[in-house]
DNA sequence: TTCTGTGAACGGATTCACAGCA
DNA sequence: TGCTGTGAATCCGTTCACAGAA
């Protein structure tokens, strides 16, 4: 049995909401309440969870800490994931500086660039390496995930090299639709794309 | 007849691919070729477009420039959209500095923060205003879209105020599931969420 | 011949509704 | 009584397959 991708894509939302509940000292939660928090129907949540087992108690609901731990294990968030960043321009620097990765177990261990002025620089305790040595560096210290923050023209080539070096997941900040083999995961971070899906609705309301 | 949201969410991808084709001097394209470029089936593309009209010529394909223009009009990308940024910390500064918005017609015209040390500062020709005057500032110079780049604890309150001030679209960089009225669009930009949907598959391949 | 536009068929995800358990 | 877990029913989006136009 394999699990629908939409289901997987919702689990991190549940994790996030449950973490907030732990923070607030809440111990049990029903699918009803969790659903309200996230704008999801209770049935959806119960069905999603049912793909992985039985986590609730009838009449009671779910133990927050228990469910959180289970979801973290399911998603593989109970370990560290190592990442390599390619492109240390303005965007790349912002990514390196981002404090949100570490608490969730994501750590950048390589940073590459082509620009000789940037190579050798130290950013947040990482020394920027020449992108030419990408393959050697990843052979020596492998990573799970590649982060691409290079200009659009260079992005596909960088992705091909990351994949060639064994990376099986790409976080793509470049505004291109990357072509990758079926076994490689890609997620795009593109604020412009997000904005462009909203303007359609803004336009509607306006007339 | 109203159009499925998934369809709308794909149109910006088509726009992006068509822009690249214009750049490369390509004049006509079939649904087949466009699909290969984007990893989408030709039937999907034809069906998506059919919601809005007939843009192709049988036996030939689509005129790239024509289709691009039509899609831009459909999405409302044939005009400027004004935005207000709330939160001018490290992330907020990176957003203001981002060069990708302007070429697509998105312009930040307000920047707000709570920190007295940041208020009054000039970032990229914008003077940071006190978030306390958000309502007045938006009444004087309204915007279409709010960008939220504040800490998670503050995010929901900021979003409520933006919505209260008439904003009908939110680009949310904060790691929370925002609750908004039905007529308000929200899109999240959250790299951690994106990473967390990939680790599940990475874990699989590993064993 | 080529490729669009589109009803019809299909498949997959969401919601319903209820049995079952505390 | 309250809430989970889940088959069944429903809904919705994708794909198929072909008529029709250049």
């Amino acid at each position: 049995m394999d699990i629908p991708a939409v289901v997987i894509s919702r689990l991190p939302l549940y994790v996030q909401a449950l973490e907030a509940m732990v923070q607030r000292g809440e111990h049990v939660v029903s699918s009803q309440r969790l659903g309200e928090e996230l704008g999801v129907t209770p049935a959806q949540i119960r069905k999603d969870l049912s793909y992985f087992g039985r986590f609730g108690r009838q009449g009671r609901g779910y133990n927050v800490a228990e469910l959180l731990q289970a979801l973290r294990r399911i998603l593989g968030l109970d370990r560290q994931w190592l990442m390599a960043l390619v492109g240390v321009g303005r965007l790349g620097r912002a990514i390196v500086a981002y404090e949100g990765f570490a608490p969730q177990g994501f750590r950048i261990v390589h940073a590459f660039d082509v620009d000789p002025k940037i190579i050798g620089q130290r950013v947040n305790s990482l020394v920027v390496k020449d992108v030419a040595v990408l393959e050697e560096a990843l052979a020596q210290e492998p990573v799970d995930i590649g982060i691409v923050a290079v200009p659009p023209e260079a992005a596909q080539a960088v992705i091909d090299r990351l994949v060639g070096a064994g990376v099986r997941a790409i976080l793509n900040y470049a505004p291109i639709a990357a072509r990758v083999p079926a076994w490689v995961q890609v997620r795009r971070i593109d604020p412009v794309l997000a904005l462009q899906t909203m303007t359609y609705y803004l336009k509607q309301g306006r007339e």
Side-chain angles (χ1 to χ4, degrees), chain A:
Chain A
M1 163 186 50
D2 69 358
I3 289 138
V6 263
V7 172
I8 302 301
S9 73
R10 276 191 297 264
L11 299 188
L13 295 173
Y14 302 163
V15 167
Q16 206 168 61
L18 291 167
E19 278 170 350
M21 286 174 180
V22 167
Q23 217 72 36
R24 296 200 298 266
E26 298 170 30
H27 290 224
V28 286
V29 66
S30 63
S31 58
Q32 175 74 45
R33 277 237 318 102
L34 185 54
E36 281 162 11
E37 188 102 356
L38 291 169
V40 167
T41 67
Q44 175 100 264
I45 292 173
R46 294 202 303 275
K47 177 66 91 176
D48 284 353
L49 297 179
S50 78
Y51 282 102
F52 302 97
R54 303 150 142 262
F55 304 100
R57 283 179 237 185
Q58 283 158 329
R60 292 270 293 156
Y62 302 88
N63 177 302
V64 172
E66 236 171 57
L67 181 56
L68 177 55
Q69 199 192 10
L71 288 176
R72 295 190 64 92
R73 178 161 27 246
I74 290 163
L75 285 170
L77 303 179
D78 52 354
R79 69 187 227 29
Q80 278 256 328
W81 294 96
L82 303 184
M83 312 194 289
L85 170 70
V86 187
V88 194
R90 184 154 39 209
L91 176 58
R93 276 162 218 278
I95 293 168
V96 170
Y98 183 52
E99 329 76 350
F101 291 132
Q104 295 293 331
F106 296 98
R107 194 151 70 89
I108 300 176
V109 295
H110 294 292
F112 300 100
D113 206 292
V114 262
D115 185 342
K117 284 193 283 297
I118 293 176
I119 294 165
Q121 280 184 16
R122 174 180 295 270
V123 287
N124 276 48
S125 83
L126 274 178
V127 176
V128 180
K129 291 183 274 283
D130 191 334
V131 73
V133 304
L134 185 143
E135 285 79 4
E136 294 106 282
L138 292 189
Q140 229 197 309
E141 191 177 4
V143 299
D144 305 289
I145 301 165
I147 305 181
V148 177
V150 302
E153 320 80 65
Q156 184 62 58
V158 163
I159 289 170
D160 292 343
R161 288 182 62 191
L162 284 166
V163 170
V167 168
R168 292 199 340 280
I170 302 278
L171 191 65
N172 179 25
Y173 283 82
I176 61 143
R179 304 298 299 138
V180 293
W183 66 85
V184 178
Q185 299 290 316
V186 187
R187 299 292 181 276
R188 285 190 59 181
I189 303 291
D190 190 333
V192 170
L193 232 41
L195 290 171
Q196 290 178 335
T197 66
M198 293 199 284
T199 53
Y200 173 78
Y201 299 99
L202 291 178
K203 207 191 44 156
Q204 308 302 87
R206 191 163 281 273
E207 52 232 21

